[in-house]
Amino acid sequence: MTSATEPDSQGAHFVGGTPFFASRHDQRLSYALYVPKDHTAQADPLPLVVIQHGTGRSAELYRNNWKQFAIDHGCVILTPLFPAGLVEPGELHSFKFLEYKGTRFDHELLHIVDEVGERFNTETERFLLHGFSGGGQFAHRFYYAHPDRLAGVSIGAPGRITQLDDSLPWWLGTGGFKEQFGVDIDLPALRRVPVQLVVGGEDTETWEINNAGGPNWMDGVEKTGRTRIERLEVLRASFEAQGVTARFDVVPGVAHKGSLVMPVVQEFMADLLSGRS
């Protein structure tokens, strides 16, 4: 029997840094959280910040790096984990494009968000989303599909971009988006979401993103620029052409390192959290 002064051996793992929990909807996928330790089921729901990993699947590292932000700003951090090789051995990139061989990763994230809302007393109608590198690819494509669920989106250094341009085929652009995902691009909704585009000022290596013929290549990528900086500028231009305003942050002295652009991302997120009604 647990005394009043002893920790709850079960409940202690549902606050602070949690274990990875299997998604109830698809147990191949999982998620971890940081929940401020003074948050209870009886308190007002806390806002939710989702940090989407990239190719390296460093979800736990992101969760730990955002711990202090959760404490300082009164929010819950959610880090989903979409494993590599989920459908095919060695496959790395499927989640970045929202759908792969019947798995809708955008829908799976929404199932996880809804589950977290039930279990951890968070706001889920709208949430903040950040992704870096492969996570940045996922984040901007998720934004196209579900702007109504986002209170803000931070798109970090995607190596491959999908321009907001129906004249280009998916995934170079949004041509055929409704046929692919069952929904139209909702430009008025996109314009209402606060957007950050962020990249390191020294993010200029090209070996990973100029791999013609690779499994995540499509002819036409080469027209969007050689570096992640150039590609993010092209993405911004496609946003502006459709009336979507984005904050554009180039972090001096930083190469392709998500943890080093994190302070600028957190500044953007903190401004949104402080301004929420």
Side-chain angles (χ1 to χ4, degrees):
M1 180 176 178
T2 302
S3 75
T5 59
E6 291 176 335
D8 175 357
S9 61
Q10 181 77 3
H13 295 287
F14 288 77
V15 294
T18 74
F20 277 85
F21 296 103
S23 167
R24 291 193 305 227
H25 187 261
D26 185 341
Q27 292 199 321
R28 300 174 304 167
L29 313 178
S30 60
Y31 63 90
L33 305 107
Y34 188 86
V35 182
K37 292 186 177 180
D38 58 356
H39 186 49
T40 67
Q42 293 73 41
D44 290 337
L46 291 180
L48 183 65
V49 177
V50 178
I51 311 297
Q52 180 61 53
H53 64 68
T55 310
R57 272 73 177 178
S58 49
E60 184 174 16
L61 178 62
Y62 278 118
R63 189 274 310 276
N64 294 343
N65 284 345
W66 281 75
K67 167 184 173 179
Q68 194 59 47
F69 182 88
I71 295 168
D72 292 344
H73 297 281
C75 61
V76 171
I77 303 299
L78 164 63
T79 54
L81 177 59
F82 299 152
L86 193 66
V87 179
E88 297 174 348
E91 199 284 317
L92 296 173
H93 307 291
S94 55
F95 76 95
K96 303 172 188 177
F97 300 96
L98 302 188
E99 187 278 335
Y100 188 72
K101 296 193 174 181
T103 298
R104 282 287 300 269
F105 290 95
D106 57 330
H107 289 173
E108 294 304 332
L109 174 58
L110 291 175
H111 285 300
I112 288 171
V113 165
D114 291 343
E115 178 178 331
V116 167
E118 294 173 17
R119 299 179 69 185
F120 294 92
N121 189 21
T122 65
E123 298 172 0
T124 59
E125 183 177 351
R126 294 197 307 152
F127 54 90
L128 297 173
L129 173 64
H130 168 65
F132 183 82
S133 193
Q137 292 193 51
F138 176 87
H140 79 287
R141 295 174 185 127
F142 183 94
Y143 163 59
Y144 294 163
H146 306 284
D148 57 312
R149 298 299 300 270
L150 293 175
V153 61
S154 171
I155 301 160
R160 286 157 185 79
I161 60 168
T162 295
Q163 296 182 64
L164 194 53
D165 182 345
D166 288 346
S167 72
L168 296 171
W170 179 260
W171 48 263
L172 293 176
T174 48
F177 192 85
K178 185 172 184 178
E179 291 74 17
Q180 184 80 16
F181 298 109
V183 293
D184 287 311
I185 294 287
D186 186 343
L187 284 173
L190 292 176
R191 293 170 186 144
R192 290 192 292 268
V193 179
V195 178
Q196 178 188 47
L197 302 171
V198 60
V199 65
E202 303 299 323
D203 196 344
T204 56
E205 289 197 4
T206 64
W207 62 272
E208 191 175 19
I209 65 173
N210 289 306
N211 60 334
N216 57 343
W217 181 264
M218 188 172 179
D219 288 344
V221 171
E222 71 283 355
K223 298 178 182 178
T224 63
R226 285 197 55 78
T227 69
R228 290 179 173 89
I229 299 170
E230 292 173 2
R231 292 182 184 182
L232 204 61
E233 289 171 341
V234 169
L235 185 61
R236 175 173 63 168
S238 82
F239 282 3
E240 290 178 345
Q242 299 295 341
V244 174
T245 300
R247 166 177 167 167
F248 194 85
D249 288 302
V250 179
V251 185
V254 172
H256 194 60
K257 191 74 172 176
S259 60
L260 296 183
V261 304
M262 186 178 71
V264 177
V265 176
Q266 291 183 342
E267 176 191 306
F268 170 73
M269 298 285 194
D271 286 346
L272 296 180
L273 289 173
S274 66
R276 72 190 182 94
S277 58

